Amino acid sequence: MDKGIHPVRIAEGYERACEIAAKHLDAIGDVVGFTKEDPEPLVTTAMTTLSSKIINENKRKMAEIAVQAVLGVADLDRKDVNFDMIRMEGKAGGSLEDTELVNGIVIDKDFSHPQMPKRVENAKMCILTCPFEPPKPKTKHKLDITSREAYDQLFQQEQEYFADMVRRVKDSGANLVICQWGFDDEANHLLLQNGLPAVRWVGGVEIEHIAIATGGRIVPRFEDLSPEKLGRAGVVREVSFGTSNERMLVIEDGVNSNAVTVLIRGGNKMIVEEAKRSLHDAMCVVRNLIKDRRVVYGGGAAEVSCSIAISKHAETVAGTDQYAIRAFADALDDIPLALAENAGLAPIEELASIKSRQVKENNPNLGLGIDRPTSVGNSTCDMKDLGVFETLIGKQQQLQLATQVVKMILKIDDVILKGVYN
């Protein structure tokens, strides 16, 4: 812009440079081979992602959990990963080493009555979104009870409502009740007497996950209950944590065995939430590798290779677009420069060495090794040998997103600050 080039022409040049970079990354991408039986490359990739996170001390175990969770819900033939089937539940207490992968659903609830059984095998559950209580009028109302007979009649009517609800549940063949709403102590006691363990106040999202995992249907009215709408699971059990009163419900071996839950433990809520974010990042990287097995190598190798390719293309472009394309190439050089500077090396010398060797050897995998100085006095080495890489999809999306952000900024003509135009 200092040279008088219009922002629109700069944006067009950046767009062309980004397209060249994306195509070049396609050309230099390497394929990572893995299977469900041998997921070690995926584990290595996930460990690299977790190296800079707060959970890096347990990165091997966390990486294995992330890979197993993604592979558990992945369709490798279609290269599709359904993230909706992966739940992450956290519970403060214990340590990160206690984190585990559960083949089923874990919800932060417990059975509604302390005398209900803590383990239900071959569970047939009715999933209700209707309250376990007598119906209430929608309008404002007032009921005056003037005699004992009237009270007894009202009480009897209420008991009939509860008895009818429990009877419909029993007739459907259910031996476990999952209810989105609550119910009072009377209904709770009636469920206990009839041998129906129940869970109340289950959230809407959790209800949907339970329905998917168990193959059940969400029932809005007791009249609609039938054996075909029941969800089925091998075991439903309540687990407690140490000496605390906190409990969680684990639903395992559902009809849809693809549903998995990562139960994260940590010293406090902050650690648990940070572990959730870190595991989500690792899962996204694993998902990207499943969708596209190609990778590009790190240490600034991919950026330098793209910079060289874009600079060569700029020489063939006539007009002012050439300056914008060259500027894009120069911007890519900032990545290895920053890496070298942060590592305490000489940035310009290291960048010049990488570019020189990439052109001479025609090897786009050469990058900044940092702790691997060579005999010629710089740290340039083959990133493939070091195992430093990232997914091709992720790198292309980074460049495309950065280009779109720059184009958006270039469209801003002026920024009005408070007090400047007074």
Side-chain angles (χ1 to χ4, degrees):
M1 291 178 72
D2 292 340
K3 295 178 180 179
I5 303 174
H6 195 276
V8 173
R9 301 302 301 274
I10 297 174
E12 290 174 354
Y14 274 25
E15 189 69 35
R16 290 178 64 181
C18 182
E19 290 175 2
I20 296 163
K23 289 179 182 177
H24 184 69
L25 288 173
D26 273 330
I28 66 174
D30 202 357
V31 177
V32 173
F34 63 87
T35 61
K36 275 196 173 183
E37 292 73 28
D38 180 28
E40 190 59 31
L42 294 177
V43 175
T44 305
T45 308
M47 286 174 63
T48 305
T49 306
L50 297 173
S51 295
S52 60
K53 303 291 194 297
I54 197 171
I55 60 176
N56 62 348
E57 290 186 4
N58 306 99
K59 63 180 181 181
R60 176 75 195 187
K61 178 177 181 178
M62 294 297 183
E64 289 174 351
I65 287 174
V67 171
Q68 289 169 11
V70 174
L71 288 178
V73 301
D75 186 341
L76 296 182
D77 295 330
R78 294 172 51 210
K79 297 183 179 180
D80 180 52
V81 179
N82 185 3
F83 258 30
D84 292 335
M85 301 299 289
I86 302 176
R87 283 178 57 82
M88 281 198 281
E89 285 289 341
K91 180 66 71 172
S95 65
L96 286 170
E97 294 178 357
D98 298 327
T99 300
E100 60 178 320
L101 179 69
V102 178
N103 290 320
I105 299 291
V106 177
I107 57 175
D108 195 4
K109 300 291 175 186
D110 56 1
F111 288 114
S112 59
H113 198 288
Q115 293 181 7
M116 286 178 177
K118 305 302 180 188
R119 182 184 180 91
V120 180
E121 297 188 357
N122 297 321
K124 300 175 184 176
M125 62 189 77
C126 61
I127 305 168
L128 303 173
T129 56
C130 50
F132 221 104
E133 58 187 24
K136 296 178 181 177
K138 300 291 184 185
T139 57
K140 261 181 117 176
H141 66 284
K142 182 180 178 183
L143 180 62
D144 291 326
I145 300 176
T146 57
S147 66
R148 178 181 172 180
E149 290 76 14
Y151 177 81
D152 288 341
Q153 185 179 359
L154 180 64
F155 177 75
Q156 189 63 34
Q157 184 70 30
E158 191 177 65
Q159 291 299 303
E160 289 176 7
Y161 273 123
F162 284 134
D164 181 61
M165 292 173 184
V166 173
R167 180 181 55 78
R168 289 180 184 275
V169 173
K170 294 286 282 186
D171 289 348
S172 68
N175 58 4
L176 177 63
V177 178
I178 305 287
C179 187
Q180 185 176 10
W181 302 99
F183 37 83
D184 58 21
D185 293 339
E186 198 161 357
N188 202 14
H189 181 68
L190 199 59
L191 287 167
L192 175 65
Q193 284 184 326
N194 284 271
L196 282 173
V199 185
R200 54 186 168 185
W201 298 118
V202 182
V205 175
E206 294 167 333
I207 283 276
E208 291 177 5
H209 282 157
I210 292 171
I212 293 171
T214 61
R217 297 282 298 276
I218 297 174
V219 181
R221 290 185 300 273
F222 283 94
E223 291 80 4
D224 297 337
L225 267 176
S226 64
E228 297 79 26
K229 295 180 179 179
L230 299 180
R232 287 169 170 79
V235 179
V236 178
R237 56 189 174 91
E238 185 182 281
V239 294
S240 58
F241 300 97
T243 57
S244 68
N245 291 325
E246 295 185 358
R247 296 178 177 86
M248 299 185 85
L249 209 65
V250 180
I251 302 171
E252 296 177 307
D253 303 328
V255 173
N256 185 353
S257 58
N258 287 341
V260 297
T261 304
V262 181
L263 180 55
I264 301 170
R265 306 299 308 281
N268 53 49
K269 287 185 179 180
M270 186 197 75
I271 297 293
V272 170
E273 292 301 320
E274 185 61 32
K276 279 185 182 181
R277 286 188 288 271
S278 302
L279 275 173
H280 184 267
D281 290 346
M283 289 176 187
C284 287
V285 171
V286 175
R287 176 198 60 187
N288 287 346
L289 263 184
I290 289 175
K291 285 188 172 182
D292 190 339
R293 299 191 178 197
R294 291 176 297 171
V295 297
V296 291
Y297 293 94
E303 286 82 0
V304 170
S305 183
C306 287
S307 174
I308 294 170
I310 293 170
S311 297
K312 285 181 180 178
H313 177 79
E315 295 171 0
T316 65
V317 176
T320 55
D321 285 357
Q322 182 181 130
Y323 290 93
I325 295 172
R326 286 187 185 279
F328 193 98
D330 293 340
L332 289 176
D333 290 340
D334 287 341
I335 303 297
L337 284 172
L339 284 172
E341 187 173 353
N342 290 340
L345 304 173
I348 297 177
E349 291 180 11
E350 297 293 343
L351 176 62
S353 171
I354 295 171
K355 280 194 169 183
S356 172
R357 287 191 58 184
Q358 279 204 13
V359 173
K360 283 181 183 177
E361 302 175 24
N362 193 25
N363 184 0
N365 302 337
L366 294 172
L368 193 64
I370 297 180
D371 60 345
R372 299 289 182 94
T374 59
S375 57
V376 295
N378 56 60
S379 301
T380 305
C381 54
D382 197 321
M383 294 291 108
K384 186 173 183 179
D385 296 338
L386 296 182
V388 180
F389 58 84
E390 60 182 307
T391 58
L392 174 64
I393 292 178
K395 180 62 72 178
Q396 287 177 328
Q397 287 176 345
Q398 291 168 20
L399 293 177
Q400 289 165 356
L401 181 60
T403 304
Q404 292 303 317
V405 171
V406 171
K407 287 176 66 178
M408 182 178 68
I409 294 172
L410 287 171
K411 290 178 181 178
I412 301 173
D413 294 324
D414 197 3
V415 178
I416 301 175
L417 299 176
K418 183 179 178 181
V420 174
Y421 290 94
N422 287 345

